[in-house]
Structure formats: structure tokens, C-alpha cells
Amino acid sequence: MRNLYQEQLWKLSQELIQMGAACEEIIDLAAQSLTDYSEQLEEKTAQVGGVIDESERTIETICLKLLLRQQPVAKDLRQISAAMKMITDMERIGDQAEDIVDLIPKMSRSAEGNQLQEMARAAQTMVTEAVDAYVKQDLALAKKVMGDDDIVDNYFNQIKSDIIAMIATNPGDGEYALDLLMIAKYFERIGDHCTNIAEWVEFSLTGIREECQ
């Protein structure tokens, strides 16, 4: 029975790794769409979003089976509970990346600026490291992810300042500028979800979430 329990916990980790990889991919697709949008890319984004949704359902089922059949205690219970919380944030990451891609064809021109690309890469790294922190039970890595949210926030603040300057200089670009701001806000929210994931990793290891202290 214990071997089956450990096997299920291992499967949970593997499914989370796959869901995390899909989140990385969908953020990358969102970043690509800023300058190279196509209907094929939008279709691919929707497909990856579907993979994320399916992973959420699969992981939720695994967690419920572990909770109902194995009745885990202490650290294992926190680990399973944290996984159920994490997948909610990961699913929202997928939704917000899809929202970015949906917005692009409605814009008057391609989204310009390397900062949005860099912001996307920073968010991708946060997803990777947050899931790694869970799988490796690495509290220091989870703490790093929480700190890295400042990097994404700094990008957002700089982009917002640039957009304000753009509107002041070229009032006719107001609608385009607001679209850029919306995209930056989606990436900023993705960073927040990564922070939430890292906080649940911390909870799984310590029984404490930083935001609750």
C-alpha cells in the first residue's frame, strides 16, 4: 500500500512538471504573438491551453484520490493541498497567455518593444523555478521565485511609464498604448500567479505561507 502511495505522489510530481512545461510554452507563444502573430499561432495557443486545462483535471483527480484513499498526514497532506492550489494559478496563467494572443489581432499594429519580451521571459523563468521548487522540495528556490516577482513588476512599471510618455507625445496612439498596457498587465498577473505557486510550495514545506505572516 505504501509503495502505491509513493507511486501516486511521484505521478503527481510528473503531472505538475508537464503542466508547468505547458505553462512555459504558452507564455512563449504569447511572447511570439507580439511580433509574429498568425492564426496558426493562435490555434497552437488554444491547443496548449487545452493541455493545461486537461492537466488541471488530471492533477485534481490524483490529489482527491490521495486524500480520500490514503488519508495522508502532516507534510504529505500539505504537499497534496499545495498542489491543488498551485494548479488553479497555473490554469490562470494559461488563460491570461491566451488573452494576450486573442488581443493581438485587434491591435492597430504589432506590439513593439523588447521590454515586453524580456518581461515574458522573466515570467517563464518564474514558472519553471516555482514548479522545480515543488518537485525538488526546495524552499530556497521558492523564496527566489517570490523575490523575482519584483523583476516582473519593475518591467511593468517601466512599460507603464513609457506608455504614458507615448500618449503625451502622440495622443493619436492612445488606443494602441492602452492595448500595450493591457498586455503588460497580463504578464504582470502571470508573475503574481507564479508567486502564489511559490508561496504554496513554502506552505507545503513549512506549514506557513509568506503572505499570511
Side-chain angles (χ1 to χ4, degrees):
M1 183 66 74
R2 185 66 185 176
N3 287 342
L4 176 60
Y5 178 59
Q6 292 300 324
E7 181 180 323
Q8 289 175 320
L9 283 176
W10 178 85
K11 184 178 180 182
L12 173 60
S13 293
Q14 295 306 301
E15 291 288 345
L16 278 166
I17 289 171
Q18 291 179 28
M19 190 174 184
C23 286
E24 289 178 64
E25 183 178 4
I26 205 167
I27 295 171
D28 185 57
L29 290 166
Q32 288 181 46
S33 75
L34 300 178
T35 54
D36 298 309
Y37 171 83
S38 68
E39 290 184 0
Q40 290 78 11
L41 187 146
E42 185 167 3
E43 289 173 4
K44 177 64 174 176
T45 303
Q47 290 171 5
V48 178
V51 170
I52 291 171
D53 291 342
E54 183 62 31
S55 291
E56 181 186 26
R57 290 188 288 269
T58 299
I59 291 168
E60 189 174 63
T61 299
I62 293 170
C63 289
L64 289 174
K65 285 180 178 178
L66 283 165
L67 290 170
L68 294 174
R69 296 178 183 176
Q70 305 296 341
Q71 297 181 334
V73 294
K75 186 174 179 297
D76 285 348
L77 177 59
R78 294 199 306 269
Q79 185 179 353
I80 296 163
S81 300
M84 293 187 71
K85 295 291 187 179
M86 288 166 60
I87 58 175
T88 299
D89 282 293
M90 293 166 78
E91 189 272 337
R92 289 175 182 166
I93 286 170
D95 286 346
Q96 284 160 351
E98 286 189 79
D99 287 340
I100 291 170
V101 178
D102 287 344
L103 179 60
I104 298 299
K106 301 177 179 69
M107 295 175 66
S108 58
R109 60 183 187 270
S110 296
E112 300 168 355
N114 290 331
Q115 284 187 323
L116 280 171
Q117 300 282 353
E118 292 168 3
M119 191 179 185
R121 283 194 290 272
Q124 272 184 302
T125 299
M126 288 180 72
V127 172
T128 303
E129 293 185 341
V131 175
D132 281 351
Y134 177 88
V135 173
K136 297 174 182 176
Q137 300 288 277
D138 189 333
L139 181 59
L141 187 55
K143 293 281 191 182
K144 178 183 180 297
V145 174
M146 295 178 209
D148 285 349
D149 189 44
D150 290 340
I151 297 172
V152 175
D153 288 344
N154 288 339
Y155 278 123
F156 177 72
N157 291 331
Q158 183 58 57
I159 290 168
K160 183 169 65 173
S161 296
D162 292 346
I163 288 171
I164 291 169
M166 179 195 300
I167 295 173
T169 305
N170 300 295
D173 285 341
E175 185 173 347
Y176 171 70
L178 288 175
D179 287 338
L180 287 180
L181 183 61
M182 181 70 73
I183 291 169
K185 186 62 180 176
Y186 282 134
F187 280 127
E188 189 264 343
R189 288 297 298 143
I190 287 171
D192 288 344
H193 288 305
C194 293
T195 300
N196 289 344
I197 293 168
E199 287 172 354
W200 284 114
V201 174
E202 178 186 46
F203 169 77
S204 74
L205 295 170
T206 67
I208 299 169
R209 277 191 75 198
E210 184 166 293
E211 72 163 16
C212 299
Q213 294 182 34

